[in-house]
Amino acid sequence: MEWTPLTAILLSLCLASRASAAAGKSDYAVRVTLRVMPPIDREALNDDFQEAVVLKETAKFWEIKATLHPDRSIPIQANPNWRRDDAGMTEYLKPGPSTNWDEKLRQDILAELKEAGIDPEAMDDKELVEKVAHWAHRRAKYLDKMSGSHDVYFPNGEPQILPGLEPHFERGKGSSDWSDAQQFEHVVLGKSMFYHRTTGSCTSYATYQATILRALGIPTRIIIAIPILDASDPTQLKLLSGIRDSNVRQAVVQAASEAGESFNSHTFNEVYVGKRWVRLNYNRLGQPILDPKLLGLMVHVKTFNDLAEANLAQSWGLRFGLGRKDDVFRWNNPYTALKISDSGFSTQAARALKNAGSGNASSRPAVTAGESIIPKGMDLRLRYDADLNGLKNRAGFNHHGRRIPDVVIFSLTNADGASADFWLYGPKTPAGGRQEDTLLFTAKNERETVFYPLEQVVKNRPQDLMELFKSAELPDKLYKRISDRLSPFLPSAAGRTALPDPSLVPDWIDRATLVAGRIDLTTSDDGREDFIWPGRVEAGDARGNRAIFAVQKDGSAMLAFAWKGEPQSRHHYYVLPEILATYPDELAELVKAVKLRDTLNAHDQGVVRRFLSRFAPAPGNP
């Protein structure tokens, strides 16, 4: 290699980076200039992980320049004398309008902790926070469609819906039968959330957790973080070229890809542990600012003690609830990036990506026919919890602050809190978002999730799906609804071939308007047109859904149903012998209901009809 001044510079930078990594230190930093819609706190802009200055302040936005340190790791020390040392931090211990703990709640929390084998009196602050955080997370049900924290303000210390946000608040109710007061109890007020064992979005959960920890004497506050850019704006995504460290850039890109065009921020807690403030994200004590599964690279913009003092409804709430945009924030979020750059070399980004598991399709583990994908030791006594998800396509499904259009979430959970989740995407999922049907396994500590492409699982490890559903406790009525969405493997996997009120044709197929033409039909080499397989006939209804009749090269016949716009990997396949054994009458009615296109001549009509007759043979001629 030729020795040049540039070679010397690069070598010196490499050696400096290695020396820094060996010492456990890093000079790596990301600098970002942002415009953010208030409310913002000046004090929140400077903490252990970032320094920031306000360049401009207007009624519409604050322009800030932040220097972020993704490699910084703050040691979490334990303080055994925390009760004595922290007793004077009353600002972060007292109840508030939403963090409304009282002595009765404190006693009820202690009673439940005792049953769980957790004794606060015998623990230092670090151990107590870690154990209580996991316990609190397990006992609360997250209702994904339930929201409202950003719609509420607190005149006279009582929650009320901000005028103008009533329709948005109504859409976010956990049940259409609930009153406004009942929704407040489930999503806004910490004490009643504890007794109901439910929470809504991340802001709701942060209130719930702060209420519990304050009742136990742990100083707790609530913070808001945003990503370094609005992923819904293609121009801002181009700014990522300013991040030269490939691992950091990949972490940010991965999070931006998951966020898509959604409203994207995160609210979580800080706790006073070991005589310093430490971030607590759900049950993760010591949440870093670089996380491919959470915002990518986050900027701390606000700290508050209680939702009543956050003033979110008056700004972010109105923007989100009413869909407002303006000349400053023209895209989907109340922030916009102007400049992004970095300096130095990151020592932690590669580790963060590895710990995050595979967040995008390209980095998910491949499914082979060999080793089982089911985590070792996972209790497969699984149950479906209707409070966690619904079998409906929901526009704008909210998952921990990320909105994902047109998706069905189906979760099976066990008593340990581990889960197997199916994410099934519909045709309305936008390009650039994650659109591949996915099977996720989440460990009981809920800090490790592994993603598998469902298509690969069906192809290479169908036995694992059989094992998952074989022991699952599913009511027959619910099982039928699920089987429509997760066929072909579910019916045989669970060993339920006979269902109450069996129906072959999904309810989203309009049999009355099915029309077929001559599609992919072949004849034999000698021209005999009664030998017309392999081949396929598609009958489409007025909505664009399809019933597909197919005969393979080996002579086997299959029937499939497809939603409008779904790829072939999402078709619902049935093998003809199984249909004839279970749904012979309905199959015959389906074949009879198929009309032929007017454009077909008499010859082609005969070919198509002979092909379809294979699917509904005369009685006695199976």
Side-chain angles (χ1 to χ4, degrees):
M1 180 178 67
E2 182 181 358
W3 188 265
T4 66
L6 178 59
T7 306
I9 292 172
L10 292 175
L11 180 59
S12 64
L13 288 174
C14 181
L15 292 174
S17 175
R18 291 183 179 180
S20 179
K25 300 178 181 179
S26 172
D27 60 352
Y28 182 75
V30 175
R31 294 175 177 84
V32 55
T33 302
L34 285 160
R35 286 183 176 177
V36 185
M37 176 183 287
I40 307 173
D41 290 339
R42 287 183 181 272
E43 293 184 4
L45 295 177
N46 292 274
D47 60 20
D48 290 329
F49 302 99
Q50 70 181 51
E51 302 93 34
V53 295
V54 179
L55 303 177
K56 188 175 182 179
E57 182 178 344
T58 72
K60 284 188 175 182
F61 68 87
W62 286 25
E63 186 171 316
I64 63 174
K65 184 176 182 180
T67 301
L68 311 173
H69 303 279
D71 286 357
R72 283 190 181 172
S73 178
I74 309 301
I76 305 174
Q77 305 294 334
N79 180 10
N81 301 315
W82 60 276
R83 291 185 179 277
R84 181 197 64 198
D85 295 343
D86 301 345
M89 302 181 67
T90 56
E91 180 181 0
Y92 308 106
L93 292 169
K94 65 183 180 181
S98 65
T99 53
N100 55 340
W101 70 273
D102 54 23
E103 182 58 28
K104 181 182 183 304
L105 177 67
R106 191 177 78 87
Q107 294 300 328
D108 290 341
I109 292 172
L110 291 172
E112 281 199 29
L113 290 176
K114 184 177 181 180
E115 291 181 4
I118 301 174
D119 182 7
E121 296 292 336
M123 296 179 181
D124 57 48
D125 53 359
K126 180 175 180 289
E127 182 183 12
L128 178 61
V129 167
E130 289 177 330
K131 289 187 177 296
V132 170
H134 281 86
W135 164 81
H137 198 271
R138 288 193 302 269
R139 73 180 298 282
K141 295 178 181 178
Y142 168 60
L143 304 184
D144 61 73
K145 75 172 185 176
M146 192 166 66
S147 61
S149 298
H150 283 50
D151 302 326
V152 175
Y153 73 133
F154 289 76
N156 304 316
E158 296 293 332
Q160 292 185 24
I161 306 169
L162 189 72
L165 291 176
E166 294 87 354
H168 186 261
F169 184 83
E170 190 68 28
R171 291 195 297 271
K173 284 186 176 179
S175 171
S176 58
D177 298 330
W178 285 357
S179 65
D180 293 346
Q182 286 175 305
Q183 179 73 356
F184 293 153
E185 290 180 355
H186 285 80
V187 78
V188 173
L189 302 174
K191 180 170 70 174
S192 53
M193 281 192 278
F194 175 84
Y195 289 121
H196 287 301
R197 294 174 175 259
T198 59
T199 70
S201 66
C202 56
T203 306
S204 171
Y205 190 90
T207 298
Y208 159 79
Q209 185 152 256
T211 304
I212 293 173
L213 291 172
R214 288 183 185 178
L216 293 173
I218 297 292
T220 308
R221 60 191 187 188
I222 302 171
I223 69 173
I224 297 178
I226 60 173
I228 61 174
L229 53 76
D230 183 350
S232 67
D233 179 4
T235 301
Q236 293 182 57
L237 290 173
K238 293 179 181 179
L239 295 177
L240 290 176
S241 61
I243 299 180
R244 296 171 298 171
D245 187 292
S246 61
N247 287 320
V248 174
R249 187 171 61 251
Q250 181 182 343
V252 177
V253 168
Q254 182 171 310
S257 177
E258 291 192 9
E261 299 184 358
S262 67
F263 180 87
N264 193 26
S265 67
H266 189 52
T267 307
F268 53 110
N269 297 108
E270 281 188 334
V271 290
Y272 199 75
V273 170
K275 299 184 179 181
R276 70 180 306 146
W277 288 107
V278 181
R279 295 183 177 188
L280 174 64
N281 178 33
Y282 291 94
N283 53 16
R284 184 177 186 181
L285 185 63
Q287 170 67 46
I289 67 168
L290 181 69
D291 189 338
K293 296 175 66 178
L294 180 64
L295 304 184
L297 184 59
M298 64 179 71
V299 182
H300 181 190
V301 295
K302 187 168 180 62
T303 300
F304 54 93
N305 292 334
D306 191 275
L307 186 61
E309 63 185 55
N311 297 319
L312 295 176
Q314 294 90 329
S315 56
W316 291 20
L318 285 172
R319 175 184 171 83
F320 180 50
L322 302 181
R324 290 180 175 176
K325 297 179 181 179
D326 54 39
D327 56 340
V328 178
F329 305 107
R330 293 179 296 172
W331 296 86
N332 295 344
N333 285 286
Y335 49 83
T336 185
L338 304 178
K339 296 179 182 179
I340 300 175
S341 63
D342 68 350
S343 62
F345 300 89
S346 175
T347 61
Q348 300 297 321
R351 183 182 302 173
L353 285 167
K354 181 179 179 181
N355 292 341
S358 30
N360 54 23
S362 62
S363 61
R364 297 176 192 177
V367 180
T368 66
E371 188 175 356
S372 172
I373 64 171
I374 299 175
K376 294 180 180 179
M378 182 176 182
D379 184 353
L380 291 181
R381 289 171 294 182
L382 300 165
R383 292 190 299 177
Y384 171 81
D385 193 332
D387 288 334
L388 290 177
N389 46 70
L391 291 170
K392 295 186 296 184
N393 275 56
R394 295 189 296 277
F397 164 74
N398 189 304
H399 180 66
H400 293 283
R402 298 174 182 151
R403 302 192 67 76
I404 307 172
D406 201 13
V407 62
V408 174
I409 306 297
F410 169 61
S411 294
L412 292 172
T413 59
N414 62 22
D416 294 332
S419 66
D421 301 318
F422 293 83
W423 291 50
L424 308 171
Y425 293 84
K428 294 180 181 179
T429 301
R434 181 189 291 167
Q435 302 179 67
E436 187 175 35
D437 290 348
T438 304
L439 171 60
L440 302 77
F441 290 103
T442 303
K444 61 183 178 182
N445 61 12
E446 306 207 5
R447 290 174 60 176
E448 296 181 2
T449 300
V450 182
F451 300 77
Y452 292 100
L454 188 55
E455 183 177 0
Q456 290 186 25
V457 177
V458 173
K459 180 180 179 180
N460 295 325
R461 294 295 305 180
Q463 61 268 44
D464 293 343
L465 293 167
M466 292 182 183
E467 189 173 358
L468 279 177
F469 287 103
K470 187 175 182 180
S471 58
E473 300 177 15
L474 301 176
D476 285 339
K477 184 176 181 181
L478 178 63
Y479 168 82
K480 180 183 180 302
R481 294 176 62 199
I482 296 170
S483 65
D484 282 345
R485 200 66 180 92
L486 298 183
S487 66
F489 49 84
L490 180 56
S492 59
R496 302 185 187 185
T497 54
L499 297 174
D501 302 320
S503 177
L504 170 67
V505 184
D507 55 11
W508 37 268
I509 290 283
D510 183 7
R511 280 179 281 189
T513 61
L514 284 173
V515 178
R518 179 174 179 174
I519 302 176
D520 294 342
L521 293 183
T522 61
T523 60
S524 64
D525 293 337
D526 59 5
R528 287 185 296 113
E529 291 184 341
D530 57 343
F531 188 80
I532 49 177
W533 59 79
R536 181 184 64 172
V537 166
E538 293 189 10
D541 67 11
R543 305 167 187 163
N545 304 316
R546 293 168 293 157
I548 304 168
F549 302 84
V551 177
Q552 311 301 315
K553 290 182 179 180
D554 60 2
S556 61
M558 300 183 73
L559 173 65
F561 297 103
W563 286 7
K564 179 182 179 181
E566 283 194 326
Q568 184 174 352
S569 61
R570 297 281 294 278
H571 293 176
H572 306 267
Y573 288 100
Y574 296 86
V575 180
L576 185 58
E578 295 180 2
I579 303 174
L580 291 173
T582 311
Y583 309 103
D585 296 335
E586 191 171 1
L587 178 60
E589 291 177 5
L590 175 65
V591 173
K592 185 178 179 181
V594 174
K595 303 177 182 65
L596 302 182
R597 283 190 195 148
D598 296 336
T599 55
L600 292 180
N601 57 38
H603 175 271
D604 286 345
Q605 287 185 15
V607 172
V608 173
R609 278 298 176 199
R610 285 198 300 276
F611 182 84
L612 292 177
S613 67
R614 179 177 176 86
F615 291 81
N621 295 302

